[in-house]
Every structure is written in structure tokens, then in C-alpha cells.
Amino acid sequence: NTKVLGMVSGDSAFFDPVQVGWDNACDSVGDEVECVYLVPNWTEFYLLDEEMQEQLVHPCVPLMEELIEMGVDGIAAKCTFDDEKVWQRASSLNIPLVAFDVPPPTNFPVAIDAYVGTDQAFMGRTMARLLQQLRPEGGAFGLVYRPEQLDRVVAFRDELMSDNGHDEKPHWYEILPVNPENP
């Protein structure tokens, strides 16, 4: 009885080693497991403005639906959590779900069986410590990030600015983006 496992990955060069690892692991178990690796076209989606993105189905959703229709025995997905329905559908069919690369938000209503990826808070603290080593005198910084990286950003700010209350320590100040409607 062959098990079928599916992954919806990212489409940047960052994920090339992921596909190599996926393929190698699947080859190593032989005929016991069939592996399906799907790559959504994220680039075109993110080139759209935010309003257009909201009107379209996120590119990973149809691929998750395709895996569900195939009757896979498990899904790993580097997907948005904006569309809960596809995750709920898989969960209702008792398909084990693995969040890959981005953890689900704490209030996500679907139980994810596992998360494989970066500890975002640890990454944020580590990035702040590296910046402190590069610029021990302190200074100004700006952040550009996606909403799913908020844990990383909060930990980065907390770590970097933790000594701001001590006069004898270097201080860090965040450069905030200017809102054109309210400068």
C-alpha cells in the first residue's frame, strides 16, 4: 500500500535545495512512498497590487486542493494561512498537515500537525546581535517585512533596543516609514 505525500513549496532559488532533499528522501524509501512536489507561481502574484491580490485565490490554494483531490496521505505546505478553507478541508479528511517555512498564526483555527522551519523569534534576536557586533556604537535602523515575519521583527526590536534605557549603553532607533496621507 503506497503512501502519497505532497508538498506545495516556494518558487524562489531558496527552495531549490528543499526540492533536492525532498526528491532524495523520497527516492531513499523506494516504492513505499510516492512524492508529489508542486510549485505555485508566487512571483506573478506578488507583482499585483494588494487590492488585486485580495480578489484572487492565493497561488498555493489550488495546488493544495489538487493534492486533496489526489487523495494524498499527508501535505507539507509553504502556504498562506489567509485561506483557512483549504486547510480545514484537508483537516476534515484527516490528512496530516505540516506547515513548512512559515508557522501558522497562533489563532489559526486548524490544527497543524507539525511545523518545519525557522524559529522566527530566535532568528530576530540573532540578527539583532549580529547588527550590534557590526555597529557597536548603535544607530538607526529600518525594517521591511511580511506580516508572517512579525515574531522575528518583534524579537529583533526587543533585542536591539533592550539597552536604550541605559545612558552608558549604545542606543538604537527605528526609522519609521512616512505615511503620505499623514506625514
Side-chain angles (χ1 to χ4, degrees):
N1 190 11
T2 301
K3 296 287 184 188
V4 180
L5 302 176
M7 174 179 262
V8 179
S9 189
D11 75 345
S12 69
F14 173 82
F15 294 97
D16 290 346
V18 171
Q19 184 170 10
V20 170
W22 176 264
D23 291 341
N24 288 342
C26 289
D27 289 345
S28 72
V29 293
D31 295 336
E32 298 172 28
V33 176
E34 177 187 339
C35 297
V36 180
Y37 189 91
L38 302 175
V39 180
N41 190 337
W42 297 66
T43 305
E44 287 182 16
F45 180 80
Y46 284 119
L47 290 175
L48 300 172
D49 63 41
E50 198 170 307
E51 185 177 320
M52 287 296 293
Q53 287 179 11
E54 289 176 8
Q55 294 175 14
L56 295 174
V57 172
H58 198 278
C60 71
V61 172
L63 298 181
M64 285 185 71
E65 289 172 347
E66 183 179 329
L67 292 173
I68 292 167
E69 292 302 317
M70 289 174 63
V72 297
D73 297 292
I75 297 174
K78 190 264 184 273
C79 266
T80 180
F81 296 100
D82 297 338
D83 189 329
E84 298 171 1
K85 292 178 195 137
V86 70
W87 294 90
Q88 289 169 335
R89 183 165 171 233
S91 179
S92 72
L93 294 169
N94 296 317
I95 298 172
L97 297 168
V98 176
F100 177 73
D101 188 47
V102 177
T106 53
N107 61 347
F108 196 61
V110 179
I112 303 298
D113 296 286
Y115 164 62
V116 177
T118 304
D119 177 332
Q120 297 294 335
F122 178 80
M123 175 67 81
R125 287 188 302 275
T126 301
M127 290 171 25
R129 290 172 187 156
L130 289 172
L131 181 56
Q132 288 169 328
Q133 289 175 12
L134 293 170
R135 296 272 316 262
E137 70 276 11
F141 67 95
L143 296 169
V144 178
Y145 61 94
R146 292 186 177 153
E148 64 266 16
Q149 296 170 326
L150 187 58
D151 289 344
R152 180 187 305 182
V153 169
V154 169
F156 177 87
R157 281 187 189 122
D158 289 350
E159 182 70 26
L160 192 62
M161 299 171 72
S162 64
D163 289 330
N164 279 6
H166 305 285
D167 291 336
E168 70 281 359
K169 301 277 187 164
H171 290 129
W172 288 92
Y173 302 96
E174 184 172 6
I175 301 168
L176 299 176
V178 175
N179 181 345
E181 296 173 9
N182 187 14

